[in-house]
């Protein structure tokens, strides 16, 4: 497949800013030592924000007049303390209609540490509630996109990294810009032509901007990028500032090398049918309902009845030794799920952030983990290496292997989580099984035929039925393979030894919940039998005792029976894609892609300019495999954001990596693509197609 213009930067922790605190009679304000500049006016930072950015973009009147079903989007080139965004949020709540939504997008190269952010925002006690919502979800300083739900109507996407680089990868459009940052004289690296060009590229027609500076480099950069500007009175001692707009943003040429991933035209989303009520389906349904969309959730059984029906699963990812798109997606998903669960269930009835230890029981895995640690520099609160002694202390049981420790990971009750999501306001649950999907072009709607003879109609349909998704004709060529996995449940008394962390190696074991120890899972690609097997219990117990021999012996000493014949458990089917990444996005029209991009089979460099054709209003979330707890909620946001015409929660390249058509393009280039159903549930023998049996299996 033709490469994107620039590779994504490696996963790394961003450096904090060099701060001083300069107190006076008015405030205790942060000062950026490296730039010799203040984060906000020490005279009256809020008044300056209101004058320059809020009034400069005419936000009060624009909010009051907002009647679009999509969110109003504000972009910012320097989050700093968050003061500008918090003031915009306050203005939105004062002026916007009750049904309106606000989407904030802000870049930051040097994120403030949590304590420094709290100290800076404490200057304004009347903003404590909004500042608290921000502080409660403040992410670790990992480069990339971090989505925060500040309220039911306000979302903030923090793009950590260089402003121009981050905006060049933004998948979305902006209505108003806060062109902020330290002054051009003190921070010239930010105020470059690339920044203004990136802003123009992701602006909507008529998007406005405001900035405190009138520097010549800014005026020239804005003009050259297509913005018109004018001088207006500045704030305080600043005589003038700039405001303006862009009438006709340039055509988006960023997809010239991958036109097949061009997003489909936005369609109204009044009613959406989600087929499948596992974790992927209920996550999508809840994400849409939160945006005010009417959702019908269709499931032949109860929510969480399939692979998502396990009583306990590990919230965990296994990152590649060197950065690749899959690892970036899964790390972003892990961090998002952690924030999402904190907001959804702050009392932790459905989950526990006890941490996860990924052990290295053999030399090969130990070498891989050392390569990982050498290549990445992530915050310790995200992942760090531990020796056997430290791992033993963290787990609460003797271990004889080193590993990687994920302190913010843990375990989740996926069955209960699906039930809670399905019960979200705005979702109607319906029992039934769909056997056919048909788009009625005259009605501009989908008809979903059920096996009981009834029919549903919807503007959009999201298929979230795991390995069964290809049974619907429009998805017949989507490569998916079922993988059988069996969990083993071991009853333990209340006074039995316990684990303090989830421990993963060839399988996983979680701390006991309600008197039951869950361990597993087996890995059987292509096996679709869901009957519980004693032989699989034996495999799980063998793996458990090999990984945690001291803990297993302590359980036996406490009277726990580790007998396969005496165990209960559960077997279910997951779905995997050939490249191990999920599918999340619009469904391509397979026959059209085979025609439009056939030339790639002869020469992959001859990229047609034809935009990818998609089935209007048809989406899929599938192939979450064993890591759905980390991937499904973020993939739900990808689909809901695209469907509702909002900025997406991942870089454009990672959104493309999740696209359901990526495999079809790869097959066309390799000469493997066929018409009809030939690729159903198959994979190339040369692919690293399925998660290996040594990968931790997560329900």
């Amino acid at each position: 497949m033709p490469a994107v213009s620039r590779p994504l930067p490696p996963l790394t922790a961003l450096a904090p800013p060099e701060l001083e605190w300069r107190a006076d009679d008015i405030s205790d304000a942060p000062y950026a030592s490296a730039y010799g500049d203040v984060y906000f006016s020490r005279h009256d930072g809020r008044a300056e924000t209101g004058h320059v950015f809020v009034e400069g973009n005419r936000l009060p009147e624009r909010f009051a007049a907002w009647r679009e079903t999509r969110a109003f989007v504000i972009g910012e080139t320097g989050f700093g303390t968050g003061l500008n965004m918090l003031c915009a949020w306050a203005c939105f709540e004062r002026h916007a209609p009750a049904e309106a939504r606000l989407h904030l997008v802000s870049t930051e190269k040097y994120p403030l540490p949590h304590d420094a952010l709290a100290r800076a925002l404490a200057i304004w006690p009347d903003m404590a509630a909004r500042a608290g919502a921000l502080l409660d979800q403040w992410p670790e300083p990992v480069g990339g996109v971090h989505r925060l739900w500040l309220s039911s109507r306000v979302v903030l996407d923090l793009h950590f990294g260089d402003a121009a680089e981050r905006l060049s990868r933004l998948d979305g459009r902006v209505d108003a810009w806060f062109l902020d940052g330290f002054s051009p004289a003190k921070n010239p690296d930010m105020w470059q032509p690339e920044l203004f060009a990136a802003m123009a590229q992701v602006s909507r027609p008529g998007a406005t901007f405001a900035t405190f500076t009138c520097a010549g480099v800014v005026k020239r950069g804005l003009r050259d990028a297509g913005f018109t500007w004018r001088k207006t009175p500045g704030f305080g001692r600043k005589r003038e500032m700039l405001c303006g707009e862009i009438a006709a943003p340039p055509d988006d040429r960023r997809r010239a090398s991958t036109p097949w991933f061009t997003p489909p035209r936005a369609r109204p989303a009044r009613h959406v049918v989600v087929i499948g009520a596992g974790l992927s389906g209920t996550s999508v349904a809840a994400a849409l309902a939160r945006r005010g969309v009417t959702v019908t959730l269709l499931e032949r059984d109860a929510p969480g009845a399939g692979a998502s029906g396990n009583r306990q699963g590990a919230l965990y990812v296994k990152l590649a030794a060197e950065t690749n798109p899959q690892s970036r997606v899964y790390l972003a998903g892990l961090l998002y799920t952690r924030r999402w669960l904190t907001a959804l269930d702050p009392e932790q009835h459905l989950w526990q952030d006890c941490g996860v230890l990924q052990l290295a029981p053999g030399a090969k895995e130990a070498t891989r983990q050392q390569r990982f640690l050498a290549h990445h520099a992530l915050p310790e609160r995200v992942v760090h290496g531990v020796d056997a002694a430290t791992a033993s202390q963290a787990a609460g049981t003797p271990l004889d292997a080193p590993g990687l420790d994920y302190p913010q990971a843990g375990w989740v009750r996926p069955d209960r989580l699906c039930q809670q999501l399905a019960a979200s306001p705005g979702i109607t649950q319906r029992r039934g099984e769909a056997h056919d999907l048909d788009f009625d072009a005259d009605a501009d709607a989908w008809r979903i035929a059920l096996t009981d003879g009834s029919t549903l109609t919807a503007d959009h349909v999201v298929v979230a039925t795991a390995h069964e998704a290809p049974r619907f004709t429009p998805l017949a060529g989507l490569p998916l393979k079922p993988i059988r996995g069996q969990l083993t449940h071991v009853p333990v008394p209340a006074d039995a030894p316990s684990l303090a962390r989830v421990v993963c190696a060839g399988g996983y074991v979680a701390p006991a919940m309600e008197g039951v120890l869950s361990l597993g899972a087996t890995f059987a690609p292509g096996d679709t039998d869901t009957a519980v097997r004693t032989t699989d219990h034996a495999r799980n117990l063998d793996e458990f005792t090999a990984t945690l021999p001291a803990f297993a012996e302590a359980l036996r000493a406490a009277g726990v029976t580790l007998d396969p014949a005496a165990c209960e458990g559960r077997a279910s089917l997951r779905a995997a894609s050939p490249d191990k990444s999920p599918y999340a996005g619009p469904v391509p029209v397979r026959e059209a892609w085979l025609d439009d991009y056939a030339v790639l089979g002869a020469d992959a460099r001859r990229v047609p300019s034809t935009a990818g054709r998609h089935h209007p209003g048809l989406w899929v979330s599938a192939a979450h495999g064993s890591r759905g707890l980390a991937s499904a909620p973020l993939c739900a946001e990808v689909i809901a954001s695209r469907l509702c015409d909002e900025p997406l929660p991942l870089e454009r390249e990672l959104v493309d990596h999740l696209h359901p058509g990526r495999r079809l393009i790869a097959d066309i280039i390799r000469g493997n693509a066929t018409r009809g159903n030939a690729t159903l549930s198959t994979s190339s023998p040369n692919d690293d197609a399925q998660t290996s049996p040594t990968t931790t299996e997560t329900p």
Side-chain angles (χ1 to χ4, degrees):
M1 186 181 298
V4 295
S5 56
R6 289 176 299 157
L8 285 158
L11 291 169
T12 185
L14 300 184
E18 298 177 21
L19 289 180
E20 299 177 31
W21 295 88
R22 299 192 172 184
D24 56 22
D25 294 337
I26 300 173
S27 66
D28 181 23
Y31 181 87
S33 304
Y35 296 105
D37 205 352
V38 294
Y39 274 85
F40 47 74
S41 169
R42 298 176 70 200
H43 174 65
D44 194 338
R46 284 177 68 178
E48 181 179 44
T49 289
H51 177 85
V52 174
F53 299 114
V54 175
E55 297 296 337
N57 280 288
R58 300 179 286 105
L59 293 185
E61 56 262 43
R62 293 171 76 185
F63 285 158
W66 190 251
R67 295 297 183 273
E68 300 283 345
T69 56
R70 67 172 180 87
F72 187 96
V73 181
I74 296 175
E76 182 183 40
T77 60
F79 187 77
T81 65
L83 175 61
N84 295 339
M85 290 307 201
L86 294 178
C87 289
W89 177 9
C91 176
F92 175 79
E93 289 192 335
R94 283 195 301 271
H95 297 284
E99 66 277 7
R101 293 180 295 113
L102 177 64
H103 196 117
L104 308 170
V105 176
S106 185
T107 66
E108 180 55 58
K109 190 173 183 179
Y110 301 103
L112 268 68
H114 184 277
D115 290 348
L117 184 66
R119 181 176 176 181
L121 293 176
I123 295 172
W124 299 286
D126 61 316
M127 295 179 65
R130 294 188 184 90
L134 172 64
L135 290 165
D136 287 346
Q137 300 179 67
W138 188 244
E140 297 296 321
V142 177
V145 186
H146 305 268
R147 173 157 291 185
L148 284 61
W149 282 90
L150 300 180
S151 76
S152 60
R153 297 198 297 152
V154 180
V155 65
L156 166 65
D157 286 343
L158 288 167
H159 291 241
F160 282 171
D162 175 78
E165 183 266 337
R166 290 286 90 198
L167 292 178
S168 73
R169 303 185 191 278
L170 173 64
D171 196 329
R173 299 287 182 177
V174 173
D175 296 293
W177 289 99
F178 293 177
L179 187 48
D180 202 3
F182 300 115
S183 71
K186 298 178 179 181
N187 183 23
D189 289 345
M190 190 193 86
W191 304 85
Q192 294 294 318
E194 293 80 6
L195 173 67
F196 306 114
M199 288 173 53
Q201 190 78 75
V202 295
S203 292
R204 289 189 182 273
T208 63
F209 78 88
T211 182
F212 62 89
T213 181
C214 284
V217 66
V218 176
K219 291 184 287 187
R220 290 190 296 272
L222 287 165
R223 179 200 62 206
D224 292 346
F227 290 89
T228 58
W229 55 263
R230 59 189 173 276
K231 293 181 179 180
T232 62
F235 175 79
R237 293 190 294 249
K238 295 179 181 177
R239 188 165 58 90
E240 294 175 320
M241 55 175 273
L242 295 179
C243 296
E245 53 278 319
I246 184 167
D251 293 336
D252 191 346
R253 299 294 302 159
R254 295 176 300 170
R255 296 189 185 275
S257 62
T258 55
W260 38 85
F261 293 144
T262 302
R265 177 181 59 85
R267 294 166 43 82
R270 296 172 293 267
H271 177 216
V272 177
V273 170
V274 177
I275 305 175
L279 184 60
S280 59
T282 56
S283 296
V284 170
L288 291 168
R290 187 168 55 228
R291 291 164 167 82
V293 177
T294 299
V295 178
T296 297
L297 182 61
L298 182 64
E299 174 59 62
R300 62 184 169 215
D301 300 308
S308 300
N310 294 331
R311 67 190 313 274
Q312 193 176 23
L315 172 59
Y316 160 72
V317 296
K318 186 174 182 179
L319 302 177
E322 297 182 1
T323 302
N324 61 25
Q326 183 190 83
S327 282
R328 294 188 66 91
V329 166
Y330 275 114
L331 179 59
L334 174 66
L335 299 176
Y336 176 75
T337 296
R338 178 66 167 71
R339 293 190 298 273
W340 179 69
L341 286 170
T342 299
L344 188 70
D345 178 28
E347 302 299 323
Q348 297 197 6
H349 297 299
L350 302 175
W351 66 292
Q352 291 288 322
D353 55 348
C354 61
V356 170
L357 280 169
Q358 178 196 332
L359 298 183
K364 182 178 179 180
E365 177 60 17
T367 300
R368 193 199 71 83
Q369 291 189 7
Q370 288 304 311
R371 286 175 53 215
F372 172 85
L373 293 170
H375 186 72
H376 301 285
L378 291 167
E380 282 206 0
R381 279 181 49 79
V382 175
V383 60
H384 61 273
V386 291
D387 58 21
T390 306
S392 299
Q393 184 177 17
T397 190
L399 299 170
D400 58 7
L404 298 176
D405 188 19
Y406 292 79
Q408 296 190 67
W411 59 263
V412 182
R413 304 189 67 164
D415 54 350
R416 300 282 183 86
L417 177 59
C418 289
Q419 294 164 17
Q420 179 164 323
L421 293 172
S424 300
I427 298 175
T428 299
Q429 299 182 48
R430 172 144 181 195
R431 293 286 182 89
E433 182 175 2
H435 73 85
D436 191 26
L437 298 175
D438 179 50
F439 184 71
D440 185 341
D442 293 333
D444 196 26
W446 284 92
R447 290 196 303 266
I448 303 98
L450 307 186
T451 54
D452 65 3
S454 60
T455 301
L456 292 172
T457 61
D459 306 305
H460 295 259
V461 175
V462 182
V463 177
T465 55
H467 71 282
E468 295 184 351
R471 68 186 177 85
F472 297 111
T473 301
L475 291 98
L478 190 68
L480 284 165
K481 183 179 286 291
I483 298 177
R484 182 187 188 278
Q486 181 171 311
L487 285 171
T488 297
H489 298 154
V490 178
V492 295
D495 58 352
S498 61
L499 288 175
R501 263 172 169 64
V502 178
V503 178
C504 303
Y508 80 92
V509 58
M513 182 188 73
E514 296 178 352
V516 175
L517 195 67
S518 296
L519 50 99
T522 58
F523 179 92
D527 188 341
T528 58
D529 179 18
T530 57
V532 175
R533 303 168 185 169
T534 301
T535 54
D536 280 2
H537 284 326
R539 290 178 184 175
N540 286 334
L541 289 168
D542 287 346
E543 179 64 38
F544 167 61
T545 55
T547 303
L548 297 167
F551 184 61
E553 185 57 35
L555 288 177
R556 290 190 184 97
V560 176
T561 300
L562 299 179
D563 178 3
C567 290
E568 296 184 354
R570 187 175 188 273
S572 58
L573 303 178
R574 298 175 296 275
S577 68
D579 60 10
K580 305 180 188 177
S581 291
Y583 298 124
V587 177
V589 181
R590 179 180 175 80
E591 301 301 315
W593 282 38
L594 291 173
D595 291 336
D596 293 343
Y597 307 121
V599 66
L600 297 174
D603 184 353
R605 296 169 298 181
R606 294 175 59 191
V607 179
S609 60
T610 307
R613 287 186 271 176
H614 298 84
H615 292 282
L618 183 61
W619 311 81
V620 63
S621 178
H624 296 283
S626 61
R627 291 170 285 182
L629 289 168
S631 62
L634 183 59
C635 285
E637 284 297 301
V638 168
I639 291 173
S641 297
R642 183 71 84 201
L643 193 152
C644 294
D645 198 16
E646 301 169 355
L648 271 68
L650 285 169
E651 295 92 337
R652 177 174 48 85
E653 293 86 347
L654 298 185
V655 175
D656 292 350
H657 177 73
L658 295 171
H659 195 287
R662 67 180 186 269
R663 177 67 183 193
L664 179 54
I665 288 294
D667 282 343
I668 292 172
I669 292 173
R670 294 169 183 165
N672 295 335
T674 57
R675 297 183 183 273
N677 300 348
T679 62
L680 175 62
S681 299
T682 64
S683 60
S684 167
N686 296 320
D687 286 336
D688 183 13
Q690 304 296 343
T691 306
S692 75
T694 59
T695 299
T696 300
E697 293 302 301
T698 309

